[in-house]
Amino acid sequence: MSPMPAPYDAAEPATSCRITEAPEITTAVVVQHDFPMYDMPALMDGTFSHLAEALAAQGIRPIGPAFSLHHRAPVATADLEVGFPVDAPLTETLELPSDYEVIGSSIPGGRIAWISHIGAYGGLAEKWGAFTEQVGESDEQMTYPFWEFYVTEPHPDMNPATLRTDLFSLLEPRG
């Protein structure tokens, strides 16, 4: 993989909320609206298990870990994008064997807040809550979208307690 720009290239997890500038990142994603939260594992598996190969056929490579980007707070359903940051824009729609369509998109640049979660995915909601509090305590205001990078690629034999997921939120402009 090509290196991701800062702050996405952090070798060590962020144990407390960090505020920084981040560049826009080109992505290749599956977009879903009103997607049922209970079916999220099928979306992730159906995307991530096929996307790198489909991109390679187009001469495009992932440059970072898989991610999901949310356009609103998920409750029973989510409006989200799942995919990879890539080294070149995707200029045509691809269809995956899972029947999901892949399009070009981007993660926005600007002022962001971020923190890392170490542990199983089941702990992400609690981490998001604590992260939101830390951002508020720093007199910043989160806005949409927000996203997660799945830094540790999961595999069947791993200990879920070792998973690293980096959480990011765009911040409202100041002034």
Side-chain angles (χ1 to χ4, degrees):
M1 279 187 229
S2 300
M4 291 282 287
Y8 303 112
D9 63 346
E12 296 299 318
T15 57
S16 62
C17 177
R18 297 184 186 177
I19 309 292
T20 190
E21 291 288 325
E24 181 176 41
I25 303 290
T26 301
T27 62
V29 298
V30 170
V31 177
Q32 295 291 306
H33 298 283
D34 294 318
F35 192 84
M37 290 299 293
Y38 67 82
D39 212 13
M40 198 64 67
L43 173 62
M44 300 291 193
D45 291 344
T47 299
F48 301 141
S49 62
H50 304 288
L51 185 52
E53 185 177 327
L55 291 170
Q58 302 296 313
I60 298 173
R61 291 184 320 239
I63 61 168
F67 75 95
S68 63
L69 180 142
H70 293 261
H71 294 282
R72 65 173 173 85
V75 184
T77 65
D79 292 345
L80 76 160
E81 302 177 18
V82 296
F84 288 108
V86 291
D87 65 353
L90 179 62
T91 58
E92 61 185 78
T93 300
L94 305 177
E95 187 166 326
L96 299 179
S98 55
D99 291 331
Y100 292 124
E101 289 188 346
V102 180
I103 63 168
S105 189
S106 65
I107 294 172
R111 283 182 63 254
I112 63 162
W114 73 283
I115 196 167
S116 301
H117 168 70
I118 305 297
Y121 296 137
L124 282 169
E126 184 177 329
K127 187 65 170 196
W128 272 108
F131 177 42
T132 300
E133 282 185 37
Q134 287 183 23
V135 171
E137 289 168 358
S138 68
D139 291 327
E140 296 286 351
Q141 179 62 49
M142 297 169 102
T143 190
Y144 296 105
F146 61 88
W147 55 99
E148 301 174 342
F149 270 102
Y150 306 108
V151 178
T152 307
E153 185 175 341
H155 56 82
D157 299 329
M158 75 178 312
N159 177 352
T162 65
L163 288 170
R164 174 178 164 191
T165 305
D166 288 349
L167 316 180
F168 299 89
S169 178
L170 198 57
L171 299 174
E172 294 229 346
R174 288 188 166 163

Coordinates of all heavy atoms in Angstrom, one line a residue, residues 43 56 80 85 97 115-116 123-124 131 142 145 153 158 166:
L43 N -23.0 -6.3 4.6 CA -22.5 -5.2 3.8 C -21.0 -5.2 3.8 O -20.3 -5.1 2.7 CB -23.1 -3.9 4.2 CG -22.5 -2.7 3.5 CD1 -22.8 -2.7 2.0 CD2 -23.1 -1.4 4.2
A56 N -8.2 -3.7 -8.5 CA -6.9 -4.1 -9.2 C -7.2 -4.3 -10.7 O -6.3 -4.0 -11.5 CB -6.4 -5.4 -8.6
L80 N -24.6 5.4 4.6 CA -23.1 5.3 4.7 C -22.5 4.9 3.4 O -23.1 4.5 2.4 CB -22.8 4.3 5.8 CG -23.0 2.8 5.5 CD1 -22.1 2.0 6.5 CD2 -24.4 2.4 5.5
P85 N -9.6 3.8 0.8 CA -8.9 4.9 0.2 C -8.1 4.4 -1.0 O -7.6 3.2 -0.8 CB -8.1 5.5 1.3 CG -7.9 4.3 2.3 CD -9.1 3.5 2.1
P97 N -19.2 -9.2 -7.0 CA -19.9 -10.4 -7.0 C -21.1 -10.5 -6.0 O -22.0 -11.2 -6.2 CB -18.8 -11.5 -6.7 CG -17.6 -10.8 -7.1 CD -17.8 -9.4 -6.9
I115 N -9.6 9.7 17.4 CA -9.2 8.9 18.5 C -9.2 7.5 18.0 O -9.8 7.1 17.0 CB -10.1 9.1 19.7 CG1 -9.5 8.6 21.0 CG2 -11.5 8.5 19.5 CD1 -10.2 9.1 22.3
S116 N -8.5 6.6 18.8 CA -8.4 5.2 18.4 C -9.2 4.4 19.5 O -9.3 4.7 20.6 CB -7.0 4.7 18.4 OG -6.2 5.4 17.5
G123 N -17.6 -2.7 21.2 CA -17.3 -1.6 22.0 C -17.2 -0.2 21.3 O -17.0 0.8 22.0
L124 N -17.5 -0.2 20.0 CA -17.4 1.0 19.3 C -18.4 2.1 19.7 O -18.1 3.3 19.8 CB -17.5 0.8 17.8 CG -16.2 0.2 17.1 CD1 -16.5 -0.2 15.7 CD2 -15.1 1.3 17.1
F131 N -15.8 9.7 22.9 CA -15.1 10.6 22.0 C -16.0 11.8 21.8 O -15.4 13.0 21.8 CB -15.0 9.8 20.6 CG -14.4 10.6 19.5 CD1 -13.3 11.4 19.7 CD2 -14.8 10.4 18.2 CE1 -12.7 12.1 18.6 CE2 -14.3 11.1 17.2 CZ -13.2 11.9 17.4
M142 N -18.7 18.7 16.5 CA -18.7 17.7 15.5 C -19.8 18.0 14.5 O -20.8 18.6 14.8 CB -18.9 16.3 16.1 CG -17.9 15.9 17.0 SD -18.3 14.4 17.9 CE -17.4 13.1 17.1
P145 N -19.7 14.4 7.7 CA -19.8 13.0 8.1 C -18.8 12.7 9.2 O -18.0 13.5 9.6 CB -19.4 12.3 6.8 CG -18.4 13.3 6.1 CD -18.9 14.7 6.5
E153 N -6.8 -5.4 10.3 CA -7.6 -6.3 9.5 C -8.0 -7.5 10.2 O -7.2 -8.3 10.7 CB -6.9 -6.7 8.2 CG -7.8 -7.5 7.2 CD -7.0 -7.8 5.9 OE1 -6.0 -7.1 5.6 OE2 -7.5 -8.7 5.2
M158 N -7.9 -14.3 15.2 CA -7.3 -13.2 16.1 C -8.1 -13.0 17.3 O -9.3 -13.4 17.5 CB -7.3 -11.9 15.3 CG -8.7 -11.3 15.1 SD -8.6 -9.7 14.2 CE -7.3 -8.9 15.0
D166 N -9.8 3.4 14.2 CA -9.6 4.9 14.4 C -10.9 5.6 14.0 O -11.5 5.3 12.9 CB -8.4 5.4 13.5 CG -7.1 5.0 14.1 OD1 -7.0 4.4 15.2 OD2 -6.1 5.2 13.3

